[in-house]
Structure formats: C-alpha cells, structure tokens
Amino acid sequence: MSSQPSDPLAAVDALLAAVEAGHLLPAPAERVRLREAAGLTQAAVAQALGVRIPSIQAWEEGRAEPKPERLQAYRRLLEGLAERYPAPNPAPNPAPNRAPNRAPDATGPLAFTGPATAAGPVQPTAASRRPARKHSAAHIAAAPYQHGPLAVLDGDGSAYGVDGIVLDCPATTVTELVEWTLKESGLGAARLNRNGKDSDPLIVLTASAAVKLGLPERLEGPEERRSLRLAEDHPVVKQIGKAKWRLTQRGFGPWARIYRKAEGSARQCVQLAVLPWDALDTRSWPGVAAMDPADIARVLGVYAQRVLTPRGSTAVSGLELMTALRPPTRAVQENGTWVSGHNPGSLGSDPMDPAPPEAIAEHPVVVNSGWTGGFLNEEAYQWVRDPALLSDEECLLPYAVGLDLNTAFLAAAARLTVGLSAPDHFHRPVFNKKIPGSWLADLSHIDLDPRLPSPFTPDGTRPTGPAWYQTHTLAYAVELGHDVHPVEAYLRRETGAYLDPWHDRLKTAYVDTLADLGVTADLTDAGFLAAMEHHKQTDPAMAAVLAAVKATVKGGIGKLRERPQGRTYRDGDPWPAMQRPTWRPDIRAAVISKARVNMHRKLANMVKLTGLYPLAVLSDCVVYPSPGPSPLDFLPYAESGKPLMGGFRLGPTPGLAKLEGVQEMSWAVDLMEKGLNPARHIKGGDAVLDDGE
C-alpha cells in the first residue's frame, strides 16, 4: 500500500501555485505530439525561441527544461498548439513532467520542486519548501544517488540539491548530518572510471546552517585563522570523535572530510564545505558564496556533473580529477584470486622521487645529494620587447590590442606524452623528441630575432650557457633548424598520454559552459567577439562555472609541483604534497614547456602572415600594435574571409584566442619604457600571472 501525504490540501495548494506561476509544462511526449501535430520542425521551434536544436531535443526528451527567459515563451507556444490540436483522447489531469519531490515510501507532505532547468530551480512555495524524505536503507541501496552529488544546507533544515530538489534535513549536529547524508539523503556520484571510486556526497553549509550545527560563523582565534581549522578541543571535533567518526589530517576546516572505515564496498565518508569560512574562493568561484542556496546548488551541481564533485579548492579538484579518471589500481587475478594491481597508464599508488634537476631546492633529493647542477626553468612567458626595437610605424599605430589564449595549459595537455616510470640517468644521450624527460644542453648559440621572445627562456632572453630543458623545448630548437647535443639527461622509459582523459573532460566542460552563455563554435569571428563581450552578464551562475573550470585547469597543473608550506618547515624535510603519486614536477614542466612553445610558434607565424611583432607576452596573453581597436583589424584572413592557419585565431575552444583588452598605443609604449608589462594591465587592471602555481 502506497503512503499518503499527511496534508493533502497543502500539497494540492503547492501544485496549484506552481501551475499559477507557469512552472509546469506538459509531459515530454505531449510536447513532441503538439509540435508534430502542427507540422513544426525542431529547427523551426529553436529559431523562434532563440535556442539551439539540441536544447529542443533535450526538452522533448525530458533531459532538461527551458531556462527562465525561455520558459514562458515555450509554455505559450505549447498552450497555443494545445488549443489548436487537442489530444484525441484526453486523459484526466496529466501529471507534471517531473515527479513530486517525495520517495515512494515518504510519509511527509508531497512537495513539487519545479522542473529541472539549466537556469536553476524554481523557488519553492512556503507549503512546499520543506518536503519530508524518509528513505529506507533498501530504497537508498536501489538508487543510491537519485538526488545528485551534493546539497546546500540552510539554517532552516532545507537542503537544496540539483534540478530544483529540496530535501528536509532534520539534523541539528554535525554527526546527525553525516548519518542523514549517508543513510537518507540519496546524495553522491558514480565513479568516472570503472576502476575508480564513487564520489563522496558533499554538503555545503551556509552561515546559518553552520551556526545551527554548533560551528562558529567564522574561525576564531589566531591559531584557528592561521591553520584554517577548528582546534582539537572544539566541542564539534570532540563530538565527531565520540561518535566514532574521524577527520582527515587537515582537520575540520573549510573543506572537512568525516569518515569511518568502509563497510565492504560501501564508503562511509561525507565532505563538508563551510561557506562562511571561505570554502569557495572568490577568484575561482566569483560571486557564488553570496548567492542564495538554490543558486549555489545549481552552480556546484553543474560543475559536479561536468567536472567532478568539488573536493576542496579548484586546484585540489583539478588534481583529484586526474586520479579519478586514471585510478592507480585495478582488480587483477592472481592464482584464481582477485587482488589490487597496477592500472596501466596511471601514475601508480606510490610517490616517485623526481630527478634532481626536476625538483626544487627544498626537496630531499636535492638537499641530501648536495645537487648543484641547476634546475629546469620551464615557466610561462613574462616578456616585454625592448622599446628601442619599436619602429616608427608601430609607434604611430593608434591601439594596443591584447589577445588571450583560451585555457592554454589545457590545450598543451592534449595528446601530451609524459613519463610514467622513475627517471634514469644518461650521459651524452642522442636527443629523441619522443622521449619525455629533462636534458642538459647549450642553446646559447642560437640567434633569433630580438623582436620576438626566445622560446627557450621564460623571460624571453637568449640563453647564456648550458641549461636543463624539457623535451618539448629542445624539440622546438630542432624544429627551428638547429642541432642539439645534450650533455646529460634524465629520461623515463615508460610513457603515456596520462592527461588525455583529464583534457577531454575539461575541454568538454569548458566548451559546453561557454555554449550555455551563448558563445558557440558556429559564430562568426565578429559574432564571437560580440558574444564574449557580454557572456558573463548572460547568466552569472554559468559564468561562475566557467571561471571554476578555468581555475581547475590552472590549479591542477600547479598542484603537480606544490611547494612546502608553514613557518616551521626546514629544507630537506618531506612535506605532505610530495608524498603523493601526483607530485610530478616533470609533468608540470612538460605542460608549460609545450604551452610556451605553442605560443612562440604562433608568434613566429604571425610575423610570416602579417609582418607584425608583439609588444609583450604574459603567459597566455599577447599584446599587438593595431590599426584598429579589434583583433579583426590585424589578425590574418584569406580573401574568402576565413582565418589563416598557423597564427592566432578567434574561437571558443582551448588554444584559440579571445579579446583580452584594448588600450591606446601610447599607453603601452609608456609602460614598456618604465619596464612594465602591458599584457598585465591591458584589461584596465592588474592581471594575475597564469603560471600554473
């Protein structure tokens, strides 16, 4: 016997309110019937509503719902068609397109939470805001993640999830919250790789929720502020231990993991993100912490679905994504028994010491060996052309225009072969561009045009003697027609495209999120520039997702060489980051080397195609003198109007360019004469160096 709502009148009022507000649409099958009855194509409907055909397909299949700005127009179309083409056999009161927010065995009031829209959940009415959800263990086991990867909890006990779901959370303590999350919430996410692990559920605490659970609204005391965690004697920390739960080594901070030993294959771990403790950094998640809980859930939910459930900062999430897509182990059979074995193509389960030139000065490999042979210096560009090399023609041009390459590090990670095994030392090796590693070679004899930065150094100056280079840098010297004769090398025998799945997932997330903001690959270059000018205002929530995706790329690469932290650290001591398999400074160097080489190749090709030389480069931003205020005024195009290959091209995919900023040429020259980099200031404010740290 199915359970009945305890207050049918309130439930009916909630449904009527949703209907009155225009939040309900016919069932997906009825939408298809109405369109086909009128002889309309999906393309015609898409054009009328100003959306793409895939959006119409998703609406008609029930996979998504219109954003608020399209909802009323689509509803009006369907109502008009329903008047003209009524159903042949009308059924009694059709159900809304989304099931009420109640499990089959729920005993609380029925509550409609609105359609799952890409633009965010419908704000629930007072009658529907707190649906009761009491699930049996069997129900959760049958569909463990039916409510999505995460929820945002407010002080009233409402937990806002993805697709407009609102759950009732009765917890008043942190331990009760953990128990509810694991046993009743239905939160979590499936693994990204069959050899990996499911993502633990994430509960995001608003300030009011934190206070209700006994947490301080702000971390108090100098020690807590310094360590970014609660003191060991805090009542909540004691409460967790008393209930036989554990905290990870980072303690109870902005991102806290509370766990017990897994029971069989079932993990017992919940992650908490405390918003008032700055869990969401404003640089990576602009404006998100100030949003209401439903919109926060929408932003984090989209990120979780396209990238992964956040596991800390975007940098931490970027690194965790690598492991989630390339798990270190897999099940293998040995003598008829399944055991854990190495997963080919992964970095394995154990940390690996770098070669001395790949490490940093503080690393035990360097300190304990007394290494004095120098280090890799594969960093992003910070270069300004000597003002004395500016021509009169350049100085008379009216504008300086900055171009920014979309997620340049992500583009460099595509099909990038990196080392998977420990480094081996070689003397007088023959250079091979297919072998990833570090090579000691002298490139100081290579004389290049000083109006371009040297491709071999981050500051763009000519090398002065032997130095360590990553494989891609030496390979580019060969590509430019020069012989290279390494004196020494640290090379890896086992190689693979470790970052490929990471690149592919983040590229899709980046492109799809830009498309949600109206920036698509089918736009003309002029249309692309116009769309990019206003894309952040189109939908601030999706703009925040885009910023988080970009920060995930940069931070993930930077985390591959995370440095020691803390006032008490002493050189030569191991630090936590270096003791994980993903502490791989050689992979970071490979990405940055390839990105810098890609930039120089485009700079050189621009000279061949247009005769233009850059004024300055800062990582993935380059500034050119221009006769007009737009990139269209100096980028190379064929007579047909198509962009020429080899130089910079505009577009929304990684590696293509967008407008960074425009200033007067006299402004740029003035900065150059002062020794400042125009690329840092071209947007009208100081830019943060995108060096991957």
Side-chain angles (χ1 to χ4, degrees):
M1 179 177 177
S2 62
S3 59
Q4 300 297 322
S6 60
D7 189 355
L9 291 178
V12 169
D13 288 342
L15 286 176
L16 291 175
V19 173
E20 286 292 328
H23 295 155
L24 299 188
L25 294 172
E30 178 65 1
R31 303 172 202 179
V32 176
R33 186 194 72 78
L34 290 171
R35 178 180 57 77
E36 293 179 345
L40 296 174
T41 64
Q42 291 178 332
V45 176
Q47 183 176 6
L49 296 176
V51 299
R52 297 179 298 157
I53 294 176
S55 296
I56 303 299
Q57 294 171 339
W59 300 349
E60 292 187 348
E61 294 170 5
R63 293 183 287 106
E65 298 292 345
K67 296 180 181 179
E69 63 267 24
R70 299 285 186 270
L71 178 62
Q72 295 303 328
Y74 189 46
R75 182 170 179 254
R76 180 175 178 179
L77 170 65
L78 296 176
E79 289 176 345
L81 294 177
E83 291 177 3
R84 293 169 174 78
Y85 307 97
N89 297 302
N93 298 329
N97 65 294
R98 184 168 293 277
N101 190 16
R102 180 173 61 83
D105 60 341
T107 59
L110 197 99
F112 180 74
T113 60
T117 68
V122 175
Q123 188 66 27
T125 64
S128 67
R129 192 168 180 272
R130 297 276 304 278
R133 286 188 170 273
K134 300 184 184 299
H135 300 305
S136 65
H139 178 78
I140 294 297
Y145 308 136
Q146 74 270 41
H147 295 148
L150 56 87
V152 181
L153 183 65
D154 68 12
D156 294 331
S158 293
Y160 295 81
V162 300
D163 294 343
I165 289 175
V166 185
L167 307 176
D168 183 58
C169 176
T172 58
T173 67
V174 169
T175 53
E176 288 177 357
L177 175 61
V178 171
E179 297 279 359
W180 173 83
T181 302
L182 292 174
K183 296 178 180 178
E184 299 184 52
S185 71
L187 296 174
R191 64 199 67 188
L192 298 181
N193 182 289
R194 64 189 181 93
N195 296 311
K197 300 175 182 177
D198 292 356
S199 289
D200 298 319
L202 168 65
I203 301 293
V204 181
L205 302 180
T206 61
S208 58
V211 171
K212 178 181 177 181
L213 296 171
L215 298 170
E217 187 169 346
R218 289 283 176 185
L219 290 174
E220 301 168 344
E223 180 60 27
E224 288 185 351
R225 288 196 298 270
R226 187 191 66 79
S227 63
L228 291 178
R229 66 180 65 188
L230 290 179
E232 294 294 327
D233 60 353
H234 191 279
V236 170
V237 176
K238 290 184 175 180
Q239 171 200 118
I240 292 170
K242 186 176 180 180
K244 307 301 182 184
W245 290 97
R246 299 180 181 180
L247 289 164
T248 57
Q249 289 185 351
R250 59 183 175 183
F252 202 122
W255 291 88
R257 283 189 176 275
I258 303 174
Y259 72 98
R260 282 179 183 156
K261 186 177 180 181
E263 294 181 350
S265 61
R267 288 170 61 81
Q268 294 192 92
C269 182
V270 174
Q271 182 166 266
L272 303 181
V274 189
L275 291 180
W277 298 359
D278 300 325
L280 298 181
D281 186 286
T282 55
R283 294 169 298 178
S284 303
W285 302 96
V288 177
M291 295 179 180
D292 62 48
D295 286 333
I296 296 173
R298 179 195 168 208
V299 171
L300 298 180
V302 171
Y303 179 89
Q305 291 162 351
R306 294 182 179 178
V307 182
L308 86 167
T309 305
R311 301 183 182 180
S313 67
T314 48
V316 169
S317 295
L319 199 67
E320 290 286 331
L321 180 63
M322 297 179 193
T323 303
L325 294 168
R326 293 274 200 190
T329 61
R330 63 170 181 167
V332 297
Q333 268 195 324
E334 287 186 5
N335 302 320
T337 303
W338 288 99
V339 297
S340 179
H342 175 67
N343 186 24
S346 76
L347 298 182
S349 301
D350 300 318
M352 183 183 300
D353 280 340
E358 297 167 348
I360 54 179
E362 305 94 320
H363 197 283
V365 162
V366 175
V367 175
N368 296 338
S369 67
W371 173 262
T372 58
F375 300 96
L376 278 175
N377 189 25
E378 298 289 10
E379 301 294 340
Y381 267 135
Q382 295 187 67
W383 171 82
V384 180
R385 200 202 311 178
D386 184 347
L389 298 177
L390 290 171
S391 68
D392 292 341
E393 292 79 2
E394 288 176 316
C395 292
L396 291 174
L397 290 173
Y399 296 102
V401 177
L403 294 176
D404 179 72
L405 294 183
N406 302 322
T407 55
F409 288 173
L410 186 61
R415 314 301 171 251
L416 175 68
T417 300
V418 300
L420 301 178
S421 56
D424 290 320
H425 192 196
F426 296 88
H427 291 280
R428 297 288 176 184
V430 176
F431 178 67
N432 187 332
K433 67 179 182 180
K434 295 183 179 180
I435 302 177
S438 304
W439 312 74
L440 180 62
D442 190 349
L443 303 181
S444 60
H445 63 285
I446 299 178
D447 186 20
L448 299 174
D449 193 320
R451 290 173 292 180
L452 290 177
S454 168
F456 311 126
T457 60
D459 63 3
T461 59
R462 183 173 175 172
T464 57
W468 289 95
Y469 299 100
Q470 202 277 334
T471 298
H472 281 88
T473 304
L474 279 194
Y476 189 56
V478 174
E479 181 182 323
L480 294 176
H482 303 281
D483 291 332
V484 295
H485 302 285
V487 178
E488 196 176 343
Y490 286 90
L491 309 176
R492 288 170 167 80
R493 299 178 188 275
E494 184 182 344
T495 65
Y498 172 72
L499 293 174
D500 265 9
W502 186 81
H503 163 271
D504 294 348
R505 187 167 177 85
L506 285 170
K507 177 183 177 181
T508 300
Y510 180 80
V511 171
D512 287 352
T513 307
L514 265 181
D516 288 336
L517 293 167
V519 185
T520 57
D522 58 354
L523 294 172
T524 63
D525 282 2
F528 168 75
L529 291 173
M532 287 298 297
E533 187 175 356
H534 303 290
H535 76 285
K536 293 182 180 179
Q537 289 73 44
T538 300
D539 186 340
M542 295 307 294
V545 175
L546 184 69
V549 171
K550 293 191 289 186
T552 301
V553 173
K554 182 180 74 172
I557 297 301
K559 278 281 185 181
L560 291 168
R561 198 191 68 173
E562 185 177 358
R563 292 179 175 273
Q565 302 174 17
R567 294 178 298 178
T568 60
Y569 177 77
R570 296 291 181 269
D571 288 356
D573 292 341
W575 62 95
M578 62 158 280
Q579 298 178 60
R580 64 184 182 225
T582 48
W583 199 85
R584 290 294 301 272
D586 57 301
I587 296 180
R588 175 188 177 274
V591 172
I592 298 178
S593 169
K594 185 179 175 183
R596 197 181 65 245
V597 163
N598 286 348
M599 171 66 82
H600 191 276
R601 188 181 289 112
K602 292 179 186 295
L603 296 173
N605 286 337
M606 282 289 289
V607 174
K608 298 174 184 176
L609 295 171
T610 67
L612 288 176
Y613 291 86
L615 302 176
V617 183
L618 183 76
S619 187
D620 50 9
C621 177
V622 56
V623 179
Y624 274 102
S626 173
S630 168
L632 302 177
D633 295 315
F634 67 89
L635 289 179
Y637 291 88
E639 292 184 2
S640 63
K642 292 185 177 181
L644 295 177
M645 301 295 289
F648 295 100
R649 292 187 296 143
L650 300 174
T653 55
L656 297 186
K658 58 181 179 291
L659 176 64
E660 178 73 359
V662 182
Q663 300 288 344
E664 293 182 354
M665 182 64 180
S666 58
W667 167 91
V669 173
D670 183 57
L671 285 183
M672 294 168 70
E673 290 177 342
K674 294 177 180 178
L676 301 176
N677 193 323
R680 184 181 294 278
H681 306 274
I682 194 72
K683 291 181 73 172
D686 286 352
V688 177
L689 176 62
D690 196 8
D691 64 355
E693 292 293 359

